[in-house]
Amino acid sequence: MMARTKRDRRSYSAGEWGRNRVRVFADPKTGLYQIEWRENGRRLTRSLKHRDWARAKRQADEAAAGLVVHEPKGKAEPEPLTLEGLFEIYGEEVTPAKAYTSRMHDRAATAMFLDFLGRNRRPETLSRRDWDRFIRARRAGRIGPSGQPVSDQTIGGDLTFLMAVLNWAARSRDEHGRLFLDRNPLKGLRKPVEKNPVRVVVTDEEYRALLEVSRKVGWRFHVALLLAHETGHRIGAIRHLRWADIDLDRETIRWRSEHEKTGYEHRTPLSAKALAVLRQAWKRSPRIVDAPVLPSVKHPLKPVSPSQPRVWWCRAEQLAGMERKHRRGWHSLRRKFASDLMDQPLKVLCELGGWRNAKTVLACYQRPDEGQLRTALEARRGARD
């Protein structure tokens, strides 16, 4: 049986855009490096027939130097920028700095927009008609990786990415100091908004049921579940926690900016339950300060994979005998945290949960239950009496 080739996502570009641009990347099937360039408006690719990354980059530099055209007037006419070229530059220079899930969304959205709008389409020709056509097609499920109709919230996320690319192009310049785009041609268009968005909040009963079976799923899930409930933070930030971020003596936890969606680095106190579960986890750890709190089974010095928490959650629901509920997951615990602390000042809640905008908490996270509503009415009746 043939061994599987490890997928290499690295990419390196040399030369000037529109003049002598050369790119090397790994073939996803063979792992052999490929070299790509343009000639007379056509994209050409050939295999370098090796897997040496340093050698591939050196060959790209040499190829770019050999493709330089010395014009009599001393200046080459740049190749017109296409959507494919713009997305490629954005993918090389901006996407790698994003979080894992955002990188995955960027790649999927790039492929979808290029198939729908056309790879050779000029970005400045985009208009309201393209915007509306995309929304209609995405709602109907005619485009997209799933081939199924999607919600306005999903469509809004796709269009947010498109706007980010166009806004970046309107502020960024090429090697000659020219803006990629004079302006964003879609600026001012409104994204579709869910009239009644589904934002599920985990109930106390559901949380207790999950907690009861959490150790059967595994000690890592037990730790992650308690931390998500007690800190109100995203599972992505919890997954990346390292022991260097935990101060058991001062009973605090540091949330690093690179793992926070808002980029907000902050430190929060630990509850008694969170502190207890972390002390238990520390006994299982290799006692290395930079080791992850939730280590991978195969690679103890690396955090669990991004997909693992979802697997844990589904397994826990099965063990607890809970019926599957659409959009109930890790983020539902974040909404529970915000709702449980509804009687606290918003400034305090935002600091504890890592929110930078109180408006977001009010609009998307806090959900009063029936008991809170009845208590409010009783308090009003008592005040009037």
Side-chain angles (χ1 to χ4, degrees), residues 149-266:
V150 297
S151 66
D152 283 346
Q153 184 177 1
T154 300
I155 298 172
D158 297 333
L159 292 173
T160 295
F161 167 70
L162 177 62
M163 293 294 277
V165 174
L166 297 175
N167 285 331
W168 177 84
R171 297 191 301 265
S172 303
R173 299 179 182 273
D174 62 13
E175 292 83 353
H176 302 285
R178 294 184 291 259
L179 287 170
F180 289 114
L181 287 177
D182 293 333
R183 64 180 184 85
N184 178 353
L186 302 179
K187 185 177 181 179
L189 297 183
R190 292 187 177 183
K191 295 174 290 185
V193 179
E194 290 276 352
K195 294 182 179 179
N196 296 293
V198 179
R199 297 190 175 104
V200 179
V201 179
V202 172
T203 65
D204 286 327
E205 293 75 16
E206 290 171 338
Y207 172 67
R208 284 195 293 269
L210 292 171
L211 189 62
E212 189 174 342
V213 301
S214 60
R215 295 185 187 276
K216 296 180 182 178
V217 177
W219 70 267
R220 293 171 179 82
F221 173 67
H222 179 70
V223 174
L225 183 66
L226 261 165
L227 288 179
H229 183 266
E230 296 297 313
T231 68
H233 279 70
R234 295 178 177 85
I235 187 61
I238 294 171
R239 186 177 67 83
H240 281 101
L241 283 175
R242 295 187 175 271
W243 286 111
D245 304 320
I246 311 297
D247 192 329
L248 294 176
D249 295 328
R250 296 186 178 181
E251 302 181 1
T252 60
I253 186 168
R254 178 182 64 165
W255 304 96
R256 304 192 188 196
S257 59
E258 59 265 34
H259 305 312
E260 285 289 310
K261 183 178 179 180
T262 58
Y264 175 44
E265 181 158 330
H266 57 290

Side-chain angles (χ1 to χ4, degrees), residues 83-101:
L83 273 179
E84 183 176 29
L86 176 57
F87 278 118
E88 181 180 328
I89 300 171
Y90 185 90
E92 291 176 358
E93 299 183 7
V94 182
T95 296
K98 298 184 180 182
Y100 174 81
T101 52

